[in-house]
Structures are given as C-alpha cells and as structure tokens.
Amino acid sequence: MTLQEKDSQYLWHPYTQHKTSQTPIAISRGEGALLWDENNKEYIDAIASWWVNPFGHSNKFIADAIYKQLTTLEHVLFGGFTHEPAIKVAEKLMEILPKNQQKIFFSDNGSTAVEVAIKVALQYFFNKGEKRTTIIAFENAFHGDTFAAMAASGISFYTQAFQGMFIDVVRIPVPVKGQEQVSFEALENVIQRNNCAGFIFEPLVQGAAGMVMYEPEALAKLIEICKENKVLTIADEVMTGFGKTGKTFAMDYVDADPDMICLSKALTGGTIPMAITTFTQKVFDAFYDDDINKALFHGHTFTANPTGCAAALASIDLLQTDEMQTNIERINKNHLEFQKKIESHPKVITARTLGVIFAVEIKSDSEESYYGSMRTKLYNFFIENGVVLRPVGNIVYILPPYIMTNEQLQKVYKTIEEAIEMV
C-alpha cells in the first residue's frame, strides 16, 4: 500500500470533508523551501506550511539545538518545577517584546495561547469582584479552534455547529482604509452597552480572512479607547509574530501596547508544538493573592517542554541574524515589485503586501465561498504545478519561508499569473 492508501484507511485530516476532497499528498521529506512527495515530485512551500517554518524545512541549526537538549533533559513537569531553557526563553522574549510585557505563560499551540488570554481577561475582573463577561473581536476574525478561541472567531462555518454554546462575544468592523471611524464608533458603542472584559485582535493582518490589512494608527486608536474604559487588550500574534510583517512583531508598528500577546507557529521554527501568552505585571498581579482560588488554574502536560524551549531559542537566534533580516527585506522587495505588476491586471481586484505577506484578490462572476469552486480550482492548479498555496475563496496569498530564493519566488509569482489567466 502507498502512504496515500494507508492515510485513507486510518487518518482524519483538519478542515477536510473526506467524502469530496482529494486524497492528501504524502510528503516524504523537506529541505529549505522545498518538499518532495512519495513519488519524488517537488513542491515549493510558498506558505511555510501554515506559517510555521520561516527558516525552512530540516533546518540544521534548530535540529542541532533540539538534539543537544534531548540528550540533557527532554521534558520535566512544570508544576512545581522549572528549568534553564524556559527561563532563557523568557529572558530572550523580554528583550524583543513590547516593554510592558513582564510575565509569560507556556502552552502548546495558537488556539490554547488565545484560550489562556481570554480566560485571563475574564478571570482578571472576577478576581477583582467585577462582573465583566463580554469579549470584543473583529468581524471575520480567526483565533483558533478551542472553545473560547472559536467563540472569538468570526468565520461562521468554523463555528456554526456550536452556536449557543459560546462565551459572550460582540464583533466590530475591521478598521480598513476608509472605515476607521466606523470601527472606532462601533467599539465605543459596544463598550457602553456591555460589560466588556477584553478586546482580541489580529494586529494589522487578518490571516484566515484572506490577509485583510489595516493601519497601525487605527489599531492604536482602538487600544486607546479600550484603555480609557479599562478593557484589557489581547494581540493575537500567532500568525504575524517573528518577522512576518517585516518587524519582529506586528505590534512593533503600533504606538500602543497591548495587555497580552499570544505567540505560537514560528516560535519554534515549525519543529515542536509550543505556544506562549505574555502579560503585563498588572494583569499578573490580579492573580497574585493569598486566596488560592484566584490562581490561574490552567495548564498542559507539555507546558514549557525543554526541547521546545531549545527550538524556540534557536529560532529567535536565527531570526535576529543579519542574513535572515536581509532575506525578509529581499522578499518584501520582490513582493512589492510583483504587486506593482499584477495589481493592474483586468482580473485582479486588489493586491497588498506587508513584510513577507502578499495577497491578491481575483475577480469572480459570483460571490466566492471560503472553500468554493474557484478556491478548489486554484488550489488544484497550484499543486499540479508544484507550488503549495492555499487560496481563501478568490484570494491567493503568499507567506514564504525567509530562506526562499528569488528564483523560487519568481516561479511562485509566474504560477499565480498563470492561475489568474486560467480562472
């Protein structure tokens, strides 16, 4: 039996309707920006495998750090114990995070990083004796698949089977260009009419919505409104963190600091599942009490896994090298040149770029659903041509590993141009 045949016999894949979808491609190895399937067909991984592999596949620097840690201490429980790799990760993050972030809490993926933040926002006010039970989020947000994270997400087909089971979430429009004031007024109205505990947002780029982008000044204003009303703010940097937007964090563009930040995906360079939620000292202090019931009763078996910490340290070291920073700038320059070329195409509605993120919206005769016919046609075309891209409806985006070569980028661009002509 082939790997594909064995897969069909045993495995259940994410975001997949197995009755109608094609059999998953069996990948046998990867190196740099490339993947090879079991038949040795080559693919360019133009989305860094769901945004987690910024330094490419089979990165030796990270692998060596993991191996060294495995031969010293692979794992130890984090309840009542600590270890040097976790402390080093905390010290490293304190150097690069917004200065108001003072405490970090480990978990295991982006959804749980968000789950922790939302639970903390709600319990923060509970511990203070205030009844605040509403979370504010953007329309068409995506924050994960655990229950609180799913409740904060605004893409309906992810959540429709669970309506009526969620915490209270109220949505406001994204402050895209020309709609900033509408968003500001909506936030003020929501705060006036509800007992709001927190506002969660994807800073500057809504990933799963199709790389929807908005300006730092608009986000700063929304954070200011929240601070004036003592509403906690949560920056979900699971996708945007660690260089994707051109700076280490998207919040580095914003003249305002959040109360909490959620990190995962590129945190460990795509090697070991790990997530972190960071907090201000003020937030932490609301849980610091003689009353044990005011503690944060949340944890994971693999909390602060030492091997994952070693991978995170190696990944951050790589990100901070001159070579990687130059690569990010190079990819951004290539994206901007391609954007200038493609945005005037008669079949293109708009194109946009921030850091290594590029997105193009293609005209369609009908309203395109998230997993609609155009998306399927585009996806299949890309796979046939050896490029891994996952369109969102009629939006095609690129979010490549930072080590992708100019030649590989040009092949991705050329394949997108051919796809636009094809649909």
Side-chain angles (χ1 to χ4, degrees):
M1 292 177 70
T2 65
L3 291 177
Q4 282 189 319
E5 289 169 340
K6 291 179 180 179
D7 177 283
S8 296
Q9 185 173 352
Y10 301 115
L11 301 182
W12 192 344
H13 286 261
Y15 310 119
T16 300
Q17 174 48 264
H18 281 266
K19 186 172 183 179
T20 58
S21 65
Q22 293 183 340
T23 305
I25 297 163
I27 297 299
S28 59
R29 62 189 176 96
E31 183 177 346
L34 300 176
L35 297 166
W36 288 268
D37 67 17
E38 63 179 328
N39 298 313
N40 210 37
K41 180 178 177 179
E42 181 182 283
Y43 303 85
I44 298 175
D45 186 356
I47 58 169
S49 286
W50 265 340
W51 324 333
V52 304
N53 285 84
F55 313 111
H57 298 280
S58 304
N59 185 284
K60 190 175 186 303
F61 184 77
I62 302 175
D64 286 346
I66 290 170
Y67 174 76
K68 183 178 179 181
Q69 186 59 50
L70 282 171
T71 60
T72 306
L73 175 66
E74 76 300 330
H75 183 68
V76 64
L77 70 162
F78 210 57
F81 293 86
T82 191
H83 50 79
E84 187 177 25
I87 294 166
K88 283 187 173 181
V89 168
E91 290 175 334
K92 180 70 77 171
L93 285 175
M94 291 305 137
E95 294 174 3
I96 60 178
L97 283 165
K99 296 304 179 186
N100 70 333
Q101 301 299 299
Q102 295 295 316
K103 297 290 182 180
I104 78 168
F105 190 96
F106 286 94
S107 58
D108 54 7
N109 61 54
S111 295
T112 51
V114 168
E115 199 82 8
V116 168
I118 292 175
K119 287 176 70 173
V120 165
L122 296 170
Q123 189 177 341
Y124 173 89
F125 291 102
F126 177 85
N127 284 0
K128 288 178 170 293
E130 294 184 47
K131 186 176 176 59
R132 295 204 185 194
T133 57
T134 299
I135 299 295
I136 308 163
F138 280 139
E139 295 170 353
N140 294 320
F142 182 77
H143 295 290
D145 294 323
T146 51
F147 252 75
M150 188 166 50
S153 300
I155 302 173
S156 62
F157 66 86
Y158 282 114
T159 62
Q160 60 189 9
F162 310 100
Q163 295 303 313
M165 308 177 195
F166 292 140
I167 59 172
D168 183 28
V169 176
V170 180
R171 306 195 184 285
I172 64 171
V174 182
V176 294
K177 192 171 184 179
Q179 296 298 312
E180 293 92 344
Q181 191 60 36
V182 173
S183 184
F184 302 156
E185 291 174 2
L187 177 60
E188 289 172 338
N189 289 335
V190 167
I191 292 173
Q192 289 171 9
R193 295 175 184 177
N194 300 271
N195 293 319
C196 297
F199 167 44
I200 186 168
F201 53 86
E202 298 160 271
L204 307 190
V205 188
Q206 284 190 301
M211 304 301 166
V212 174
M213 299 180 186
Y214 61 100
E215 295 301 315
E217 295 76 14
L219 181 54
K221 176 64 175 178
L222 293 172
I223 293 173
E224 178 187 336
I225 293 169
C226 288
K227 288 188 184 299
E228 289 171 353
N229 291 276
K230 296 181 171 56
V231 174
L232 296 174
T233 51
I234 305 166
D236 179 356
E237 292 247 21
V238 169
M239 186 275 282
T240 53
F242 302 104
K244 309 283 181 43
T245 63
K247 294 193 176 186
T248 303
F249 301 107
M251 290 305 302
D252 291 339
Y253 288 96
V254 184
D255 190 21
D257 293 330
D259 297 293
M260 308 176 221
I261 300 176
C262 304
L263 305 171
S264 190
K265 288 195 182 291
L267 173 64
T268 62
T271 55
I272 294 175
M274 176 171 276
I276 285 172
T277 310
T278 73
F279 305 93
T280 63
Q281 186 69 39
K282 179 182 175 181
V283 171
F284 176 82
D285 286 346
F287 294 75
Y288 189 78
D289 199 278
D290 290 328
D291 183 356
I292 192 171
N293 293 312
K294 289 188 176 181
L296 176 60
F297 284 102
H298 188 104
H300 298 266
T301 305
F302 285 93
T303 293
N305 171 257
T307 314
C309 288
L313 288 166
S315 295
I316 296 171
D317 284 345
L318 274 177
L319 177 64
Q320 294 179 319
T321 61
D322 290 341
E323 178 186 2
M324 214 57 66
Q325 291 299 311
T326 299
N327 282 347
I328 290 170
E329 293 173 5
R330 172 181 57 80
I331 292 171
N332 175 256
K333 182 180 178 181
N334 276 274
H335 280 354
L336 289 170
E337 290 175 357
F338 182 54
Q339 176 183 336
K340 187 175 181 180
K341 177 182 180 182
I342 203 69
E343 62 189 354
S344 60
H345 192 288
K347 289 188 177 182
V348 169
I349 298 172
T350 183
R352 48 192 176 270
T353 299
L354 181 63
V356 302
I357 304 168
F358 169 86
V360 58
E361 188 172 356
I362 304 169
K363 289 180 181 177
S364 174
D365 294 333
S366 59
E367 186 174 338
E368 282 297 319
S369 63
Y370 204 91
Y371 285 103
S373 58
M374 177 180 279
R375 182 265 177 200
T376 301
K377 189 175 182 180
L378 287 166
Y379 175 78
N380 291 339
F381 180 83
F382 294 138
I383 291 299
E384 288 167 10
N385 285 274
V387 177
V388 179
L389 290 167
R390 287 180 64 89
V392 177
N394 62 327
I395 298 169
V396 177
Y397 71 85
I398 310 169
L399 208 165
Y402 307 155
I403 47 75
M404 183 174 283
T405 67
N406 288 342
E407 183 181 5
Q408 290 166 342
L409 273 172
Q410 291 305 318
K411 179 178 177 180
V412 174
Y413 298 151
K414 183 174 183 292
T415 307
I416 290 174
E417 288 184 271
E418 291 172 352
I420 292 171
E421 295 296 341
M422 178 267 302
V423 293

